Amino acid sequence: MTDDLLTHVDDVLPWHVNLYEDLHRNPELSFQETRTSGLVADRLRNLGYTVHTGIGGTGLVGVLVNGPGSVVLARADMDGLPVREESGLPYASTTTATDPQGRQVPVMHACGHDMHISCLLATAQLLAEHRADWSGTFIALFQPAEELVAGAQAMVDDGLADLIPKPDVALGQHVMGLPYDTVASRPGAALSASDSIKVTVHGRGTHGSMPHLGIDPILLGSAIVLRLNAIVSRELAPGHFGVVTVGSFQSGTKSNIIPGSAELLLNLRSYNRETRSLLRAAVERVVRAECDASGCSAPPEFDDYQSAPLTQNSPEVHNKVFAAFANRFGDKAVLMEPSTGSEDFSDIPNALGVPYLFWIWGGFDPDTYRTAEADGTLSTTIPGNHASTFAPVMEPTMRTGIEAMTTAVMSYLAKDANNA
Ligand SMILES: [Zn+2]
Ligand SMILES: [Zn+2]
């Protein structure tokens, strides 16, 4: 039955290519996806979906009930990034927008979320137009502000659970800076948990020539940076994944002033709860101990200002969907390496209490990015997500994305799948 639906991809592809080019030309920043969600809502209504808009800001869902069977939720994210596009595409963005700080910034779909929207809408269309091929309920969810790791939780907090039937499974996908001949999934931890912490340490300001009258927060901060870098190498068991990065260290204004305080921005990555709490506890212990060693004027402050949940795929869902991928894509379906990137997708299934799968697929022709090295070898430098040159090729990326999403959904909703 699945193959029946996929034989119609060519019928829906041109409309979605047009939509993709339109979305790519007109990206919107996180929580500003008004035009995008309007387009999506109109399309879902025309296809016969029951649509709820304005969930968590610009989020929306379309629900299609088509007889008894499983309830499947599939999610796409909608936001662009403050990046000036340098892709050279004929449909490149020249859009600007006002960011939350009031600055005018360029905006680009540099993470491929426009591809996610187009592919999920195409799956929604295939299901709406071929209802005899499946049975159950399909929920297409479009979330804002993935790039702020905030949009999924915003939809949950705004009562998502009361607007939709409880799903049996949730699905999501991401196009990546990888060769286009890959669709990759894995059971268990697929994307890392991410935690950002602002640490403020308080010394005592003084003249640069009279250090004995003060407590130097720059020396203190430097000791903290060095010591934090020992957490992963000395406290985490070899072979376990963890990252502790100090991404910003700000203090002082002038060479002859010892400032009063310093601010450090930290980012932690982990693949399980134990490592996550080990890293967080070690950071706090190290900072407090170094502040004590310096005789600080006040205790340090910790502001946990942004975190992304662990993306931990259900082995059962992976096994079912990956078998369907292998059937569909042959050796293009591969096991995914765990990624150090992060996502907020899992906030939705976690809140609804349902198992989930998040997979990735490649969007780039490696031949385009092959360069000859001085020694005669060839190397491939495909742009990563968020690069100003991030530009998935239309063919076959969109077709693969539509086929992957539809295949995964149909592994639950095809008439012969319901009894499985
Ligand atoms: Zn991104
Ligand atoms: Zn993304």
Side-chain angles (χ1 to χ4, degrees):
M1 297 305 252
T2 307
D3 285 338
D4 290 348
L5 207 57
L6 287 174
T7 56
H8 301 289
V9 170
D10 280 330
D11 304 341
V12 303
L13 201 57
W15 190 90
H16 293 276
V17 167
N18 286 340
L19 173 75
Y20 173 74
E21 292 186 357
D22 181 352
L23 295 172
H24 196 84
R25 253 192 210 104
N26 297 287
E28 294 172 295
L29 290 177
S30 306
F31 284 128
Q32 298 181 16
E33 308 91 339
T34 316
R35 179 181 182 273
T36 307
S37 64
L39 288 174
V40 172
D42 284 349
R43 184 64 177 167
L44 288 171
R45 281 194 195 100
N46 289 340
L47 292 168
Y49 282 73
T50 303
V51 178
H52 302 278
T53 58
I55 313 169
T58 51
L60 74 150
V61 290
V63 181
L64 188 62
V65 180
N66 185 39
S70 300
V71 179
V72 175
L73 181 150
R75 168 271 205 182
D77 39 12
M78 299 191 288
D79 50 337
L81 285 158
V83 172
R84 188 179 307 282
E85 179 152 3
E86 296 175 316
S87 69
L89 291 169
Y91 47 91
S93 163
T94 54
T95 301
T96 60
T98 307
D99 77 1
Q101 285 75 42
R103 297 171 301 205
Q104 202 64 15
V105 293
V107 191
M108 174 187 174
H109 265 300
C111 203
H113 298 183
D114 43 356
M115 186 64 80
H116 308 163
I117 297 167
S118 304
C119 293
L120 179 52
L121 263 185
T123 298
Q125 180 177 358
L126 288 168
L127 290 165
E129 292 180 348
H130 301 280
R131 297 184 201 196
D133 288 344
W134 61 283
S135 184
T137 298
F138 182 60
I139 304 167
L141 180 148
F142 296 83
Q143 78 154 76
E146 186 282 329
E147 297 294 353
L148 299 181
V149 237
Q153 193 60 46
M155 290 187 76
V156 167
D157 294 344
D158 205 11
L160 172 67
D162 299 330
L163 297 172
I164 56 170
K166 182 173 175 174
D168 295 302
V169 66
L171 306 168
Q173 62 176 357
H174 207 302
V175 64
M176 302 295 288
L178 295 169
Y180 56 52
D181 56 353
T182 49
V183 178
S185 168
R186 67 178 286 110
L191 304 176
S192 72
S194 168
D195 296 287
S196 289
I197 312 162
K198 181 169 96 172
V199 175
T200 308
V201 294
H202 301 281
R204 188 163 62 234
T206 180
H207 197 288
S209 69
M210 304 166 198
H212 59 293
L213 299 179
I215 297 169
D216 184 350
I218 294 180
L219 178 61
L220 164 60
S222 303
I224 289 172
V225 171
L226 283 179
R227 186 80 206 204
L228 288 178
N229 275 280
I231 295 173
V232 170
S233 73
R234 302 294 85 175
E235 298 192 40
L236 195 60
H240 287 232
F241 167 82
V243 176
V244 176
T245 288
V246 180
S248 171
F249 177 6
Q250 306 281 338
S251 185
T253 53
K254 199 166 178 295
S255 68
N256 63 351
I257 303 172
I258 291 175
S261 65
E263 184 186 287
L264 298 99
L265 300 181
L266 277 50
N267 186 251
L268 316 181
R269 301 275 166 149
S270 53
Y271 286 142
N272 60 54
R273 199 167 299 158
E274 293 72 30
T275 301
R276 193 176 193 178
S277 45
L278 181 152
L279 297 180
R280 181 62 180 77
V283 163
E284 185 146 348
R285 192 192 72 242
V286 165
V287 172
R288 288 191 188 283
E290 288 294 347
C291 286
D292 282 350
S294 290
C296 279
S297 55
E301 289 155 34
F302 300 87
D303 174 14
D304 295 274
Y305 67 93
Q306 192 175 72
S307 72
L310 178 68
T311 304
Q312 183 147 34
N313 285 333
S314 151
E316 290 76 28
V317 182
H318 164 83
N319 289 342
K320 189 178 180 82
V321 172
F322 193 76
F325 283 169
N327 203 23
R328 178 80 211 162
F329 300 113
D331 57 9
K332 275 173 67 174
V334 296
L335 268 186
M336 172 188 167
E337 288 291 318
S339 165
T340 54
S342 298
E343 256 287 338
D344 69 350
F345 160 70
S346 67
D347 279 337
I348 291 168
N350 286 343
L352 299 172
V354 301
Y356 61 85
L357 185 72
F358 191 81
W359 67 88
I360 60 174
W361 87 105
F364 290 78
D365 179 355
D367 287 339
T368 308
Y369 298 92
R370 215 153 261 162
T371 46
E373 301 293 326
D375 63 3
T377 58
L378 289 173
S379 67
T380 303
T381 49
I382 293 175
N385 296 63
H386 294 198
S388 62
T389 51
F390 187 80
V393 287
M394 196 74 79
E395 184 66 41
T397 309
M398 183 170 294
R399 179 183 300 274
T400 306
I402 296 170
E403 288 185 1
M405 183 51 87
T406 307
T407 299
V409 170
M410 286 297 275
S411 65
Y412 284 86
L413 295 183
K415 282 195 168 156
D416 49 2
N418 276 317
N419 300 322

